[in-house]
C-alpha cells in the first residue's frame, strides 16, 4: 500500500506512526526518501523485503514447490509449522538457544540511520515496555535497529529487546499504531490508516491456533479503536477552545484495507517467501488504487471512514 501511496506525487507524507513490520516500512521509506525522494523510497522498500525473503531462505517453514504452484499460502497444516506452533506453546524464547535475529543485519543493510535522524518525514515508532506495560514512542533521532526490533518483538518468539535498561515487546500491545503524536506533533488534518489486522472476522474460531490468532488481532486493534472512539467523542466538544482538542476533532480519517487478509491463515504471518511477499505487495497496491479511485478527491476535504459508528453500543 505504501508503494502505491508513493506514486501520488501531489500527496506529501508528513509523518508515519507504526509498529512491527509497519515500523520497518516507515523507517526504510523515510530514510531513502530523505536522500532520493519517492522513487528511491519505493526502491528501498523493495530491496528491504527482498533481503527479508533471502534471510528466510532456509526457514523450516518454507513450503513445497507444489504448494507454491497451487497458491497455498497458509502453512497451518504443515508438519514444520505444527512442530513450531507446539514448541512456542511449551518453551519460551529464554529456554532455547536461539541465534541473533537475522532482521538485525537486514535492517543495518537497509537503513541509513544518520539520514533517518534528519529526515523531514516524522516517525513515531511504538514499542511496549515490559515492566510498565506502557508504550514508548521512538522518534527519528532515537531510532536504531534495536528500536525497530523492539517494536516487532513477539514475546512467544523472541527474547525482549533491551534499550536504555528497559525490556520491550511488540508495540502492537500498547499502540497499533499510536495516533496521539500525529495530532500533537503534526499539522496535517488527514490520516490514512493501513489496516493489516481484520477488525471484524466472520464466525467463531474453534481451534487453539485460530483462537490465539483472533485474540492477537483483537488485542492489537483495541488501542487504535479506543483512540478513534476518543476522536469521535472530541468532535462533539470541539468548541472547547483547546487547540489540541480542536485538532483531534477536525482530523479527517481514511482507511485502506483488503478483504484478502481475512482468508489468510495464522501461519501466513511467518511466511517470508518472496513469492508470498510479492502477492501481498500486489494486493496492497490494488487496495490502495481502489481507495484513490473512490476517495482520492476526498483527501483534504472530508473523512471517508465513519468513526462515529464506533460509538454505537458504547
Amino acid at each position: 500500500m505504501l508503494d502505491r501511496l508513493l506514486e501520488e506525487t501531489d500527496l506529501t507524507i508528513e509523518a508515519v506512526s507504526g509498529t512491527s513490520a509497519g515500523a520497518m516500512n516507515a523507517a526504510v521509506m523515510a530514510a531513502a526518501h530523505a536522500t532520493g525522494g519517492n522513487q528511491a523510497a519505493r526502491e528501498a522498500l523493495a530491496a528491504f523485503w527482498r533481503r527479508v525473503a533471502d534471510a528466510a531462505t532456509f526457514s523450516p517453514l518454507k513450503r513445497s514447490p507444489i504448494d507454491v504452484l497451487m497458491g497455498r499460502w497458509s502453512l497451518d497444516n504443515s508438519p514444520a509449522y505444527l512442530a513450531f506452533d507446539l514448541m512456542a506453546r511449551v518453551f519460551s524464547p529464554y529456554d532455547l538457544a536461539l541465534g541473533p535475529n537475522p532482521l538485525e543485519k537486514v535492517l543495518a543493510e537497509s537503513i541509513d540511520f544518520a539520514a533517518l535522524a534528519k529526515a523531514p518525514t516524522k516517525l513515531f515508532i511504538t514499542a511496549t515496555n515490559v515492566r510498565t506495560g506502557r508504550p514508548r514512542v521512538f522518534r527519528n533521532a532515537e531510532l536504531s535497529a534495536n528500536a525497530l526490533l523492539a517494536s516487532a518483538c513477539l514475546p512467544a518468539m523472541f527474547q525482549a529487546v533491551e534499550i536504555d535498561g528497559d525490556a520491550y515487546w511488540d508495540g502492537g500491545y500498547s499502540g497499533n499504531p499510536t495516533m496521539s503524536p500525529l495530532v500533537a506533533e503534526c499539522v496535517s488534518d488527514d490520516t490514512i490508516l493501513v489496516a493489516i489486522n481484520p477488525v471484524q472476522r466472520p464466525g467463531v474460531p474453534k481451534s487453539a491456533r485460530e483462537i490465539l490468532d483472533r485474540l492477537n488481532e483483537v488485542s492489537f486493534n483495541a488501542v487504535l479503536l479506543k483512540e478513534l472512539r476518543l476522536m469521535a467523542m472530541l468532535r462533539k466538544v470541539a468548541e472547547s477552545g483547546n487547540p489540541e482538542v480542536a485538532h483531534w476533532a477536525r482530523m479527517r480519517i481514511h482507511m485502506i484495507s483488503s478483504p484478502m487478509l481475512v482468508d489468510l491463515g495464522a501461519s501466513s504471518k511467518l511466511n517470508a517467501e518472496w513469492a508470498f511477499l510479492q502477492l501481498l505487495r500486489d494486493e496492497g497496491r490494488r487496495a490502495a488504487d481502489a481507495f484513490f479511485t473512490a476517495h482520492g478527491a476526498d483527501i483534504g476535504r472530508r473523512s471517508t471512514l465513519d468513526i462515529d459508528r464506533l460509538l454505537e453500543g458504547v
Side-chain angles (χ1 to χ4, degrees), residues 147-194:
L148 294 173
L149 291 174
S151 182
C153 180
L154 293 172
M157 296 179 63
F158 302 105
Q159 294 185 14
V161 177
E162 187 171 313
I163 300 174
D164 299 331
D166 269 316
Y168 291 91
W169 283 340
D170 195 295
Y173 297 111
S174 56
N176 195 36
T178 299
M179 294 283 290
S180 53
L182 298 177
V183 177
E185 301 178 38
C186 299
V187 297
S188 174
D189 290 334
D190 284 85
T191 295
I192 299 176
L193 299 173
V194 177

Side-chain angles (χ1 to χ4, degrees), residues 4-74:
R4 176 62 182 85
L5 289 175
L6 288 165
E7 289 183 346
E8 294 294 313
T9 55
D10 58 346
L11 185 70
T12 299
I13 301 176
E14 181 187 7
V16 182
S17 179
T19 64
S20 200
M24 296 179 189
N25 273 335
V28 170
M29 182 275 293
H33 185 272
T35 57
N38 284 19
Q39 184 57 33
R42 294 181 62 208
E43 292 171 1
L45 284 166
F48 168 72
W49 287 106
R50 180 78 247 194
R51 290 188 182 106
V52 170
D54 289 344
T57 297
F58 301 106
S59 168
L61 300 181
K62 192 174 180 66
R63 291 167 310 115
S64 71
I66 297 298
D67 287 330
V68 174
L69 291 172
M70 297 298 292
R72 292 195 285 259
W73 299 113
S74 176

